[in-house]
Amino acid sequence: MTWQTFVFVVVAGLAFGYSGYRFAILYRLLKAQRGKANRLGHLGARTLAAIADVFGQRAVLRKRGPGIMHATIFWGFLIITIGTLEQFVSTIHTSANFQFIGQTPYLTLIWLQDFFTLGVLLAVGYAAYRRYVIRPEGLGKSRDADLVLTFTSSLMVAILLMNGFHILGDNPWYRDAMPVSKYLATGLAGLGLSQESNHALWLVFKWVHMLIVLGFAMYIPSSKHLHVIAAGPNSFLKRLSREKGMTPINFEDESIQQYGTARITDMTWKDGLDLYSCTECGRCQDLCPAYNTQKPLSPKALIMDLKENLHRNKAKALAGKYDEVGPLIDGNITDDVIWACTSCRACEIACPVFIEQTDKIFDIRRNLVMMESRFPAEMQPVFKNMETNASPWAFNPSERVNWAEGLNIKTMAEGAEIEVLLWVGCAAAFDDRNKKVLRAFASLLKKAAVKFAILGTEEQCTGDPARRMGNEYLYQSLAKANVETLNRYNVKRIVTACPHCFNTLKNEYKEFGGNYDVIHHSQYLAGLIGEGRIKPTKAFDETVAFHDSCFLGRWNDVFKEPRDVINSLPAARLVEMKEHHDSSMCCGAGGGRMWMEETIGKRINVARTEQALETKAGVVASSCPFCMTMLTDGVKTKDMQDKVKVLDIAELIDQATP
Amino acid sequence: MNIFVCIKQVPDTETKIKLNATSSGIDPAGIKWILSTYDEYAVEEALRLREKNPGSTVTVLSAGPARVIESIRTALAMGADNGIHIDLPETADNNSIAKALAGALKKEAKVDLVFTGKEALDDSAAQVSQLLAEYLDAACVTVVLGVEYGPAGVKARREVEGGAVEVIEASFPVIIAAQKGLNEPRYASLPNIMKAKKKEVKALKAADVGVSDADQKIRYKNFQLPPPKQAGKKIAGDPATQAKELVRLLHEEAKVV
């Protein structure tokens, strides 16, 4: 017991007390969120995923340079914190230390701490270089980040100086396990200070180090550095499968008076934890098609603005005065921000801490549409078409079979015996360009002697556009009608050339009693080609750039099959665009944007088409009717329609298959 | 203010029209029915007027078979307060409908304003608003693009041919027939759709409003579908030959010159 004991206990007590108080508020704020989320199942799988994502830094390392930087700092802090704890303990009780673990383990620990102190310092140096010299747009400017970098680098410098003077002043027995500090000590020896002075300076830097740690503890709850506490749990609580459906609203439940989120407190505790986890790294923003074409939406800014809204409404939320909590559309977040999203999900897949931006946007849309009837005017006829004619486009349902004229395709009503049901989708049924795609696919199914049928006029829009645009009520009426029809015919397998229908049928009909084996036509074709039922033999001497559909790739992890299909074409050369697979850029049509005017900034489809044209490929291959429309328009806008063809993978295979 | 809106249910614009067995009208089987678009402007205008005049009520009326109640509910979901359905047969003509609506309105304590569409989307007859004015002995402004509401009447801007606009002043009670452009009709919010399901729609019979078979002035017969569109004809040759051939075709085949 020395004077240090008393000073430390008092100072640390105050610091941790304050920090604990701030964390308690953050916890109570999560409890004040009124939405429901259930993320506590599958504990084993969650643990394994969290070990890989948190301790293995899997998600962070997806981006190489900053990933290695972060992993070094993360692992460094885990190791260094052990030393810090030892320091705290020995400050309280002089003879206490961690040497009881044995001499070799202790020396290893000391060596690792010394090594990582330098490592973290270098990593922070790289971070500073990146932030202040390279200045990637996604990082932006942040006073928070300035402070964190200052804190962290001072901490490391303090440790090294502390150890250097310790070696000079006290000559500890484990000094050889500190090569970096020892090297520094050689330099410090040049100052020519007495042993007592060196010992005193050790004490000074020890306290500098401890005080920075305590300062950090008080600072974390109010900063973006809160991620060091929140991101771990958020990774543990992430959605385990990539496929996900939106949470349905129970319209039968009359106790529900409000649909969607109008206020920050209408969100769930998991949404709150998402906000706490954001480190503002900007990976989401870097890939956002809306942001990259000058729309007001940035997924990073959205999350930061939501967090700011939460803090602004803290007192009212904690007091349970929910009616007084301010609206979510608060000036920082505008209607244009919410409607700019194409639901491409690039932000979510890129996020190293598994924040789910799209759910928040969809929930806000639900409130705007169903409670306030507030949405871009172009959407009203789309809703009305879906209500009256079960299609987002104005067509009579009787025209739904016109695409198949002359193909002699049976409908389920005609009592067809089938291997698989062909789900046509509204785009292929009513849009002239996409009719050709489906005719090519149907022709391939016939060449492969697949027994299939369609629902014909009984098929209705799956409801995907309505759901993504926030009209859950309309979505459910369409979903229930389709499930009723599909179950009436006892349909087991469905194949569709539309990724939007695919995603909805596969992931979102389960909630309404529709359980089917749903296959996208890229997967089905890859299968038929693999089995030898389709043999593309005609040479196709052309370079083909494949465009990933968001609802096929990012939403359902189907990347390989469409590429396999293209590679099966004799003589074809598959090339990738600048952005592909998980980083692929959206065509601009998802999330209902297909039917909305794009008046702000550059057109997304043109930006994506430019990426396609950069490859110099003669063919842009798509596997989605919406992408087909957007890319075809893009190629026309660039006046390249004579040189570049936009074709569906089914058309490519059909023309090569005798 | 006591505000009324007379609406009509019509086939959706994408409907493939089929004739009934006797060719005296269209076959209603399989038709998707909607609220006539011009009537949506009428409903919207009534709702906006009510919002500016607290304490006002908006009542929606429709005369026709039971199916039209669905469109009354659509208007209720947009925000109207009350609904009145007058049961008339499918074949009722404009005169019967106007007389029925007038009969129902005469049962109301006070009528300040009646909104209608400028015409129905199906028969485009544009009769009911003016017949209704006759039966009610009220003023009527048709094809209305904008209205200023005063304490005793309205100043309405109506579209006339050639793009000109007439301004007409009329005192209450007045009938306003809405033209496209009067407003942007709202999309019903879900709570209002739910509430509309529970609102009571008052039911009246033809006899209650003094309408009988004698009021039917039109008997329909011999409906025909328009002939299917024929493929275009391309005239080849140099401009002089093309012009000559065009004149010949217009004269001999189309018989228009």
Side-chain angles (χ1 to χ4, degrees):
Chain A
M1 299 279 263
T2 65
W3 61 270
Q4 290 192 46
T5 311
F6 295 106
V7 175
F8 180 76
V9 168
V10 171
V11 173
L14 286 173
F16 284 123
Y18 177 73
S19 180
Y21 162 74
R22 298 292 299 269
F23 275 113
I25 290 178
L26 291 174
Y27 177 73
R28 282 171 55 214
L29 266 179
L30 290 188
K31 299 266 283 184
Q33 308 273 74
R34 294 194 294 176
K36 290 187 179 71
N38 182 8
R39 292 292 175 89
L40 296 172
H42 310 286
L43 291 181
R46 288 194 179 285
T47 308
L48 289 178
I51 288 172
D53 289 322
V54 181
F55 295 103
Q57 294 279 287
R58 177 172 62 183
V60 178
L61 282 166
R62 283 196 304 239
K63 199 161 179 175
R64 192 53 60 88
I68 293 171
M69 171 204 90
H70 185 272
T72 308
I73 297 176
F74 172 78
W75 291 322
F77 262 87
L78 286 186
I79 295 291
I80 292 165
T81 301
I82 301 174
T84 307
L85 273 179
E86 186 184 26
Q87 203 175 56
F88 285 178
V89 171
S90 64
T91 306
I92 295 169
H93 188 67
T94 323
S95 59
N97 56 48
F98 291 174
Q99 291 176 23
F100 62 85
I101 60 173
Q103 190 178 333
T104 313
Y106 189 74
L107 286 176
T108 312
L109 182 66
I110 295 288
W111 185 85
L112 281 172
Q113 284 172 15
D114 196 58
F115 171 79
F116 269 112
T117 306
L118 179 66
V120 171
L121 196 57
L122 291 174
V124 170
Y126 170 73
Y129 173 72
R130 201 170 158 253
R131 184 171 285 277
Y132 304 116
V133 182
I134 304 177
R135 281 189 271 181
E137 194 181 346
L139 278 185
K141 283 190 178 152
S142 163
R143 212 175 59 91
D144 230 7
D146 303 341
L147 273 172
V148 169
L149 289 181
T150 313
F151 266 143
T152 317
S153 49
S154 325
L155 209 51
M156 294 307 115
V157 171
I159 290 176
L160 290 176
L161 287 171
M162 169 183 87
N163 288 342
F165 286 116
H166 189 38
I167 289 169
L168 293 179
D170 310 293
N171 198 23
W173 64 272
Y174 46 78
R175 65 182 177 278
D176 290 335
M178 300 192 285
V180 180
S181 304
K182 223 175 128 183
Y183 184 76
L184 180 69
T186 343
L188 293 173
L191 294 172
L193 300 174
S194 68
Q195 197 168 353
E196 288 74 28
S197 303
N198 283 325
H199 177 80
L201 281 168
W202 160 70
L203 201 58
V204 167
F205 283 108
K206 184 183 112 171
W207 273 90
V208 168
H209 170 244
M210 291 198 301
L211 289 174
I212 295 176
V213 171
L214 296 177
F216 227 169
M218 293 192 290
Y219 174 66
I220 283 173
S222 62
S223 78
K224 83 184 184 82
H225 229 55
L226 179 56
H227 83 279
V228 302
I229 304 297
N234 210 48
S235 303
F236 180 78
L237 295 163
K238 73 172 182 178
R239 282 186 200 259
L240 288 173
S241 73
R242 180 180 288 239
E243 295 91 339
K244 65 172 180 179
M246 283 166 62
T247 314
I249 294 171
N250 182 3
F251 292 109
E252 315 275 288
D253 183 350
E254 291 192 1
S255 70
I256 303 175
Q257 292 292 318
Q258 184 197 302
Y259 307 110
T261 52
R263 301 179 172 95
I264 194 81
T265 42
D266 298 332
M267 294 195 164
T268 72
W269 59 266
K270 176 62 180 62
D271 290 317
L273 194 61
D274 273 0
L275 306 184
Y276 293 172
S277 303
C278 180
T279 323
E280 302 169 21
C281 71
R283 291 188 193 187
C284 51
Q285 180 181 299
D286 288 344
L287 290 175
C288 176
Y291 179 83
N292 285 325
T293 54
Q294 303 86 44
K295 313 290 186 286
L297 167 65
S298 148
K300 171 180 153 179
L302 175 72
I303 295 301
M304 289 167 69
D305 287 338
L306 287 170
K307 188 176 173 184
E308 189 272 328
N309 187 304
L310 178 64
H311 282 293
R312 183 156 25 96
N313 288 292
K314 186 162 61 185
K316 284 163 190 159
L318 291 177
K321 293 177 183 165
Y322 292 113
D323 293 341
E324 292 174 27
V325 172
L328 274 179
I329 307 272
D330 58 0
N332 295 326
I333 301 168
T334 62
D335 291 74
D336 280 337
V337 166
I338 298 305
W339 293 112
C341 176
T342 66
S343 72
C344 80
R345 211 180 162 197
C347 50
E348 287 185 11
I349 303 295
C351 182
V353 295
F354 310 103
I355 293 169
E356 294 178 71
Q357 289 90 343
T358 61
D359 299 64
K360 294 171 197 29
I361 292 173
F362 294 151
D363 276 339
I364 297 172
R365 287 184 175 185
R366 280 175 168 179
N367 189 266
L368 290 176
V369 170
M370 292 190 289
M371 298 301 291
E372 296 193 37
S373 302
R374 184 167 140 195
F375 47 76
E378 316 88 86
M379 281 163 54
Q380 189 153 328
V382 180
F383 289 153
K384 293 220 163 167
N385 289 333
M386 280 192 270
E387 283 165 13
T388 41
N389 293 317
S391 154
W393 289 282
F395 283 97
N396 186 274
S398 69
E399 293 174 46
R400 210 173 256 285
V401 286
N402 291 3
W403 70 273
E405 209 180 322
L407 292 181
N408 197 19
I409 297 172
K410 283 207 163 157
T411 61
M412 292 305 286
E414 291 168 320
E417 284 281 315
I418 56 161
E419 284 172 59
V420 68
L421 175 87
L422 174 59
W423 185 273
V424 177
C426 304
F430 299 124
D431 175 67
D432 285 340
R433 177 67 190 87
N434 283 302
K435 279 181 190 172
K436 290 183 188 160
V437 172
L438 212 67
R439 287 179 72 89
F441 182 56
S443 139
L444 283 168
L445 291 178
K446 293 205 159 188
K447 285 173 191 172
V450 174
K451 281 191 270 177
F452 71 100
I454 55 175
L455 286 178
T457 54
E458 286 187 277
E459 187 183 299
Q460 302 194 6
C461 172
T462 58
D464 163 77
R467 194 168 224 203
R468 256 33 84 181
M469 288 195 269
N471 201 336
E472 177 72 9
Y473 187 68
L474 177 54
Y475 161 73
Q476 288 195 11
S477 73
L478 291 163
K480 283 172 186 165
N482 280 322
V483 167
E484 190 277 320
T485 309
L486 290 166
N487 289 354
R488 179 156 41 82
Y489 289 120
N490 202 18
V491 170
K492 300 272 184 263
R493 295 188 92 199
I494 303 174
V495 64
T496 178
C498 174
H500 294 260
C501 298
F502 168 69
N503 179 66
T504 307
L505 290 165
K506 182 170 183 264
N507 301 321
E508 300 197 317
Y509 273 22
K510 289 177 196 140
E511 299 274 1
F512 305 95
N515 292 291
Y516 319 107
D517 177 15
V518 187
I519 313 148
H520 184 252
H521 80 316
S522 61
Q523 299 170 303
Y524 205 75
L525 285 175
L528 291 175
I529 294 166
E531 291 163 24
R533 288 172 76 180
I534 290 179
K535 295 191 182 83
T537 48
K538 277 190 222 159
F540 189 75
D541 185 12
E542 190 59 85
T543 307
V544 181
F546 178 68
H547 164 80
D548 283 293
S549 145
C550 306
F551 275 85
L552 191 61
R554 265 190 297 264
W555 284 85
N556 286 289
D557 212 5
V558 181
F559 292 107
K560 187 175 173 290
E561 290 89 339
R563 290 175 169 80
D564 286 349
V565 168
I566 294 169
N567 281 325
S568 78
L569 280 171
R573 297 171 300 280
L574 174 68
V575 290
E576 298 292 352
M577 299 184 214
K578 188 174 103 193
E579 289 173 328
H580 55 87
H581 286 81
D582 272 342
S583 307
S584 180
M585 185 184 186
C586 178
C587 72
R593 295 281 339 164
M594 181 81 185
W595 296 274
M596 290 181 228
E597 303 282 344
E598 192 175 342
T599 51
I600 310 172
K602 182 170 188 164
R603 294 184 63 88
I604 295 175
N605 66 326
V606 174
R608 180 55 168 170
T609 303
E610 284 169 0
Q611 293 188 2
L613 296 177
E614 276 168 28
T615 65
K616 304 280 179 218
V619 169
V620 181
S622 119
S623 58
C624 166
F626 291 4
C627 300
M628 167 63 76
T629 301
M630 299 308 268
L631 294 172
T632 306
D633 284 354
V635 169
K636 273 186 202 148
T637 306
K638 302 299 286 185
D639 203 19
M640 287 293 283
Q641 65 271 31
D642 296 333
K643 296 186 186 109
V644 177
K645 287 199 161 45
V646 185
L647 295 168
D648 188 89
I649 53 167
E651 294 178 305
L652 288 173
I653 297 299
D654 191 43
Q655 66 192 21
T657 308
Chain B
M1 277 178 137
N2 290 340
I3 308 162
F4 296 85
V5 192
C6 299
I7 62 162
K8 185 177 185 186
Q9 190 183 46
V10 297
D12 180 66
T13 45
E14 301 309 323
T15 306
K16 291 276 168 284
I17 297 293
K18 285 184 288 240
L19 299 186
N20 64 15
T22 58
S23 289
S24 61
I26 62 168
D27 179 5
I31 285 181
K32 293 273 183 189
W33 298 94
I34 60 165
L35 172 58
S36 181
T37 313
Y38 295 108
D39 297 346
E40 283 189 29
Y41 302 118
V43 175
E44 179 65 34
E45 192 65 11
L47 297 176
R48 290 187 189 190
L49 181 59
R50 183 193 63 189
E51 280 154 17
K52 280 189 212 127
N53 295 276
S56 305
T57 56
V58 172
T59 304
V60 177
L61 301 92
S62 189
R67 61 170 166 78
V68 309
I69 296 172
E70 200 191 319
S71 286
I72 296 176
R73 298 251 178 242
T74 305
L76 291 173
M78 284 174 75
D81 302 291
N82 311 302
I84 300 174
H85 169 233
I86 309 137
D87 194 24
L88 289 188
E90 194 79 56
T91 49
D93 66 0
N94 293 311
N95 184 54
S96 313
I97 289 171
K99 193 174 175 190
L101 294 169
L105 286 167
K106 280 178 190 163
K107 289 176 180 288
E108 297 293 323
K110 186 167 172 262
V111 176
D112 294 310
L113 275 134
V114 183
F115 291 96
T116 70
K118 69 150 181 154
E119 62 185 63
L121 214 54
D122 53 358
D123 63 9
S124 296
Q127 292 290 302
V128 170
S129 58
Q130 294 150 86
L131 289 168
L132 187 59
E134 280 301 312
Y135 282 115
L136 290 177
D137 197 18
C140 178
V141 193
T142 57
V143 205
V144 172
L145 289 168
V147 190
E148 278 173 47
Y149 300 94
V154 298
K155 197 191 257 187
R157 290 188 304 117
R158 69 182 296 270
E159 190 179 281
V160 286
E161 289 195 12
V165 170
E166 274 179 3
V167 179
I168 295 188
E169 286 184 46
S171 48
F172 294 138
V174 62
I175 289 146
I176 304 278
Q179 164 68 316
K180 179 180 180 171
L182 179 61
N183 50 46
E184 285 288 335
R186 69 194 63 192
Y187 186 74
S189 74
L190 196 50
N192 281 348
I193 294 173
M194 300 295 193
K195 272 187 237 155
K197 285 182 182 169
K198 290 177 188 158
K199 282 181 188 164
E200 197 195 341
V201 175
K202 194 165 128 189
L204 295 174
K205 298 274 172 220
D208 300 334
V209 290
V211 171
S212 69
D213 252 2
D215 296 306
Q216 182 85 6
K217 304 295 183 195
I218 306 173
R219 313 277 166 204
Y220 299 102
K221 62 176 189 179
N222 199 19
F223 267 67
Q224 285 175 19
L225 291 175
K229 205 172 153 190
Q230 286 177 339
K233 204 174 257 182
K234 198 171 176 184
I235 306 169
D238 60 67
T241 327
Q242 282 177 318
K244 204 176 250 177
E245 178 64 4
L246 178 63
V247 172
R248 190 191 68 79
L249 287 171
L250 289 172
H251 184 66
E252 288 172 18
E253 284 192 17
K255 294 188 168 56
V256 290
V257 289

